[in-house]
Amino acid sequence: MIFDTHAHYDDEQFNPDREELLSSMEAGGVGTIMNVSASFDSCENVLGLARQYPFVYAAIGVHPDHVGCLDEEKIQKMQELLEDEKALAVGEIGLDYYWKEEPEEIQQKWFIRQLQLAKDMDLPVIIHSRDAAADTLRIMKEHGRDIGGVIHCFSYSREIALEYVKMGYYIGIGGVVTFKNGRKLKEVAEAVPLSSIVLETDCPYLAPVPNRGKRNHSLNLTYVAEEIARIKGISASDVIEETEKNARNLYRL
């Protein structure tokens, strides 16, 4: 069964048909979903959704675009939420120098603090990094080397991907691998061992071809699995089976 390691089903784009869509997952070959918070306010929402559906789990963390609101009181609240049995990871956390919604030094401060939270809780991390390759890798080597987790929506070179693999991290691959202009990610999919790859949607965003531009959901991961299979010269069923095993190792299920 497909394991979607990164989704945002609490997003308002799913308000019209969330229950119907999630109820269709098993029949569509999707067995497990990690629903990931982005803002502090979404932390409780993702946990609520995970409690509602047995096959949905939660990651608690604050995306770099939203870290300006954080303080130690909020970190304490996140720690309390992470004690729930359905909360399996800290994320998504990291750096985003593309949008620069928050100053770089503020992003770095709360990235490091949330890495420490994951270490304290003995939980894996889900890392967001956009246009911040050097600082992310430096911080991960200094503060995240022994935590474990996934580099989500990977967008850098295969050399950087293999650096993370050496550190024991998984590489998250989603719809971009199917894009004509996704050459760099195709190279990453080729270079990284299947044992270090997990599937993800980042839904409602980044739907794969042939649904590019539409609202994404976990049922689309068959297209991602097929493209990785094509690149690696193996069957899509092998990709689905191996990446599910990887995801279970990642989230310790």
Side-chain angles (χ1 to χ4, degrees):
M1 298 284 277
I2 289 169
F3 194 132
D4 185 352
T5 60
H6 195 115
H8 298 285
Y9 281 107
D10 53 304
D11 190 281
E12 62 184 12
Q13 289 191 47
F14 293 110
N15 286 354
D17 60 349
R18 183 178 292 108
E19 189 171 340
E20 181 186 347
L21 186 58
L22 287 172
S23 297
S24 71
M25 289 297 161
E26 187 177 4
V30 177
T32 317
I33 294 168
M34 175 59 68
N35 205 56
V36 181
S37 67
S39 66
F40 177 75
D41 290 341
S42 70
C43 291
E44 292 203 43
N45 296 337
V46 298
L47 199 50
L49 207 58
R51 288 170 178 155
Q52 194 177 342
Y53 295 91
F55 61 94
V56 176
Y57 294 88
I60 306 295
V62 178
H63 184 289
D65 284 353
H66 305 295
V67 290
C69 76
L70 285 179
D71 54 34
E72 282 302 317
E73 190 178 332
K74 288 186 170 71
I75 293 287
Q76 179 59 39
K77 175 62 176 175
M78 288 160 63
Q79 185 167 338
E80 290 167 13
L81 294 174
L82 285 162
E83 288 168 359
D84 191 287
E85 64 180 6
K86 291 302 293 279
L88 302 184
V90 174
E92 65 186 281
I93 64 174
L95 303 174
D96 195 312
Y97 294 172
Y98 179 81
W99 293 112
K100 289 204 176 175
E101 295 283 342
E102 301 289 348
E104 290 179 14
E105 61 273 18
I106 298 295
Q107 291 189 40
Q108 292 181 31
K109 171 188 173 179
W110 291 109
F111 180 23
I112 293 166
R113 182 64 185 90
Q114 290 183 90
L115 286 170
Q116 185 59 53
L117 175 62
K119 197 175 284 190
D120 293 344
M121 300 294 291
D122 189 28
L123 289 170
V125 287
I126 300 170
I127 304 299
H128 172 104
S129 181
R130 188 171 186 191
D131 285 5
D135 281 348
T136 306
L137 188 57
R138 173 181 57 79
I139 288 171
M140 291 298 288
K141 285 183 171 178
E142 291 173 5
H143 301 278
R145 189 176 286 278
D146 302 320
I147 299 174
V150 56
I151 314 301
H152 143 70
C153 199
F154 192 83
S155 60
Y156 302 130
S157 69
R158 58 185 172 188
E159 289 79 14
I160 293 176
L162 293 171
E163 282 282 308
Y164 283 115
V165 169
K166 271 191 262 178
M167 291 167 60
Y169 281 81
Y170 292 94
I171 303 299
I173 295 182
V176 175
V177 79
T178 68
F179 296 177
K180 279 185 179 175
N181 62 352
R183 180 184 56 79
K184 196 158 59 167
L185 188 56
K186 292 178 196 289
E187 290 175 356
V188 167
E190 183 178 29
V192 171
L194 188 59
S195 58
S196 295
I197 291 173
V198 291
L199 303 181
E200 60 172 35
T201 54
D202 201 22
C203 66
Y205 313 106
L206 297 175
V209 175
N211 296 320
R212 186 175 182 180
K214 298 178 182 176
R215 184 188 69 173
N216 199 9
H217 53 73
S218 306
L219 299 172
N220 281 329
L221 279 174
T222 52
Y223 300 114
V224 177
E226 285 165 3
E227 179 61 11
I228 294 171
R230 186 195 67 76
I231 290 166
K232 289 193 168 293
I234 57 178
S235 71
S237 60
D238 283 346
V239 172
I240 289 167
E241 184 180 346
E242 184 75 12
T243 55
E244 181 187 25
K245 189 169 70 177
N246 298 343
R248 291 192 173 279
N249 288 334
L250 161 62
Y251 294 128
R252 304 167 193 172
L253 274 173

